Structures are given as C-alpha cells and as structure tokens.
Amino acid sequence: QKEVEQDPGPLSVPEGAIVSLNCTYSNSAFQYFMWYRQYSRKGPELLMYTYSSGNKEDGRFTAQVDKSSKYISLFIRDSQPSDSATYLCAILKTDSWGKLQFGAGTQVVVTP
Amino acid sequence: DTEVTQTPKHLVMGMTNKKSLKCEQHMGHRAMYWYKQKAKKPPELMFVYSYEKLSINESVPSRFSPECPNSSLLNLHLHALQPEDSALYLCASSHAAQETQYFGPGTRLLVL
C-alpha cells in the first residue's frame, strides 16, 4: 500500500465550478502537508502548505487537513481554464531529511 | 523571491557522452534536492544535500553523480546514461531539510 493515495483523474469541470481534490495518507508521523500545481512539461509550483489540522485559505484556494482521518483536501473556487494542470499532494514526515511523499497527482481539466 | 533556476532547459545526449545539469538558488536555502520525473508520474527523489553535505542517496546508479560546490549551487553529472534515463530532472531547495520545497523548471533530458 502506498503511503499517500491520490486519485489520478482526469477530473473535468466546467469553468466557474469548484474543484475538489483530496489525498489520504497512512502514517500519523506525517506532519507537513503541501499542494503543488504542475503544468505540462514544467516544474511543480508550490500552491499551499500547512502544518496543522484545519483550513488555510489563499485567494481562490483552500487547503484542508484532517489529521484524525489522515485526509487532506484542496478546493479551487471559481475555476478557470488556466487552472487546468496536474495537482500533486506532498507530505513530509518529521525527521525524514526532506523526503517528500507525493501522491500520484490528479489531472484537472477546466472546460470553458 | 522563490526562484530556483536550472540549466539547460533541454538536453539530448548519447549513451557515451558526459554532461552536467546545473541548479542555482539565491534564497539562502541550506537544503537542495534532485528529483527525476517520468511522464504522468510524480517526482522521484534522487539525492538530498543538507548544508552542502549529501544526506540522502536513494540508491541511484553511479552514472548519476551529484555535487554541491557551495550553498547556492547543485550539479548533477551524467555519464554513460541509458535511454530509460530520459526524463524531466527537477531541482528543489528548502530553508532546511524539514521545510517546504521550491522546485525549478526542470531539465528535459533525452538519451539516445
């Protein structure tokens, strides 16, 4: 079983809809949670990061962490065609020397 | 400024060539990373440098040789690669090994 599970999609939504992405993880030692956006043939771009349970908002993006359920989510409000990309969750254990555990990545397509 | 730069953007090499990939950051980060990413897969960690010392080598073949000349620079020396080594090579950096990682745009490598 992978340590981080993420549905690879593709997830297709109409412009203006809310995009809902999520990952589950198996190890309670995971303490740091990140979401990256990756456009085709580009490097991953950090969108959000959080170290605690609860919600964190940044513009149209909300990251949610539920440590008791080992579940993290990313919501994108008022989605735009420019949000079409692959979204990767990444989780870090304490004392892991920076070894990120990535989900498989979810491909999102926002149609005009 | 959260910029990590990588050169070259693209590289084509034969199996007998020797080439190097370069990565630079001026954010004062003390941890730097090399990742390999195949199409439609998440990045796979290769090496971690912390305070200019190699702290993780993920059992990478010796035809890949990392070097950290100073705290801002990271090189990946390539020699006698195989066609299956063709991939996007990503560099990342973070303040310390347990913190959020920022990725560069990558070098797209093709081995013929």
Side-chain angles (χ1 to χ4, degrees):
Chain A
Q1 185 189 359
K2 291 181 187 174
E3 290 201 271
V4 182
E5 299 278 359
Q6 182 179 9
D7 186 338
L11 177 64
S12 184
V13 300
E15 184 175 354
I18 294 176
V19 176
S20 174
L21 304 164
N22 56 72
C23 291
T24 58
Y25 61 95
S26 56
N27 192 329
S28 58
F30 285 131
Q31 294 291 329
Y32 306 97
F33 308 94
M34 284 148 271
W35 285 96
Y36 290 89
R37 176 175 64 194
Q38 187 171 24
Y39 291 113
S40 181
R41 306 173 78 84
K42 304 285 186 186
E45 172 194 1
L46 180 67
L47 279 179
M48 304 278 290
Y49 64 91
T50 181
Y51 303 146
S52 58
S53 280
N55 291 355
K56 182 177 181 179
E57 211 170 293
D58 183 2
R60 297 186 296 114
F61 299 93
T62 299
Q64 193 173 75
V65 174
D66 183 344
K67 287 189 179 182
S68 62
S69 303
K70 300 190 184 68
Y71 192 89
I72 66 170
S73 301
L74 178 72
F75 302 97
I76 308 173
R77 289 182 297 281
D78 187 24
S79 58
Q80 305 294 312
S82 58
D83 294 324
S84 299
T86 295
Y87 291 81
L88 294 148
C89 64
I91 312 181
L92 197 56
K93 280 187 230 185
T94 50
D95 302 324
S96 65
W97 286 96
K99 187 172 177 180
L100 280 177
Q101 299 289 342
F102 282 95
T106 300
Q107 184 187 359
V108 172
V109 178
V110 181
T111 53
Chain B
D1 183 13
T2 55
E3 189 177 27
V4 176
T5 58
Q6 289 187 245
T7 54
K9 287 189 171 59
H10 300 95
L11 181 62
V12 180
M13 60 187 290
M15 289 190 282
T16 57
N17 292 157
K18 284 187 182 180
K19 296 284 185 184
S20 296
L21 309 185
K22 295 187 185 304
C23 173
E24 193 166 2
Q25 57 86 15
H26 293 289
M27 296 178 278
H29 289 175
R30 302 314 300 265
M32 296 186 77
Y33 312 79
W34 281 115
Y35 287 86
K36 174 183 176 180
Q37 187 177 27
K38 297 285 250 182
K40 299 193 183 301
K41 297 288 187 186
E44 294 174 36
L45 183 66
M46 300 174 73
F47 302 103
V48 179
Y49 273 84
S50 181
Y51 290 86
E52 299 155 53
K53 290 192 180 350
L54 183 65
S55 56
I56 291 182
N57 175 342
E58 288 287 285
S59 303
V60 179
S62 59
R63 57 186 184 267
F64 295 91
S65 175
E67 179 196 18
C68 189
N70 60 55
S71 60
S72 300
L73 288 173
L74 187 66
N75 297 322
L76 186 63
H77 303 298
L78 314 173
H79 174 54
L81 294 193
Q82 304 297 308
E84 60 264 29
D85 296 321
S86 299
L88 181 67
Y89 287 84
L90 295 161
C91 175
S93 71
S94 61
H95 278 292
Q98 282 303 106
E99 301 203 17
T100 313
Q101 294 178 26
Y102 295 88
F103 284 82
T107 293
R108 188 157 295 279
L109 175 67
L110 178 62
V111 182
L112 299 176

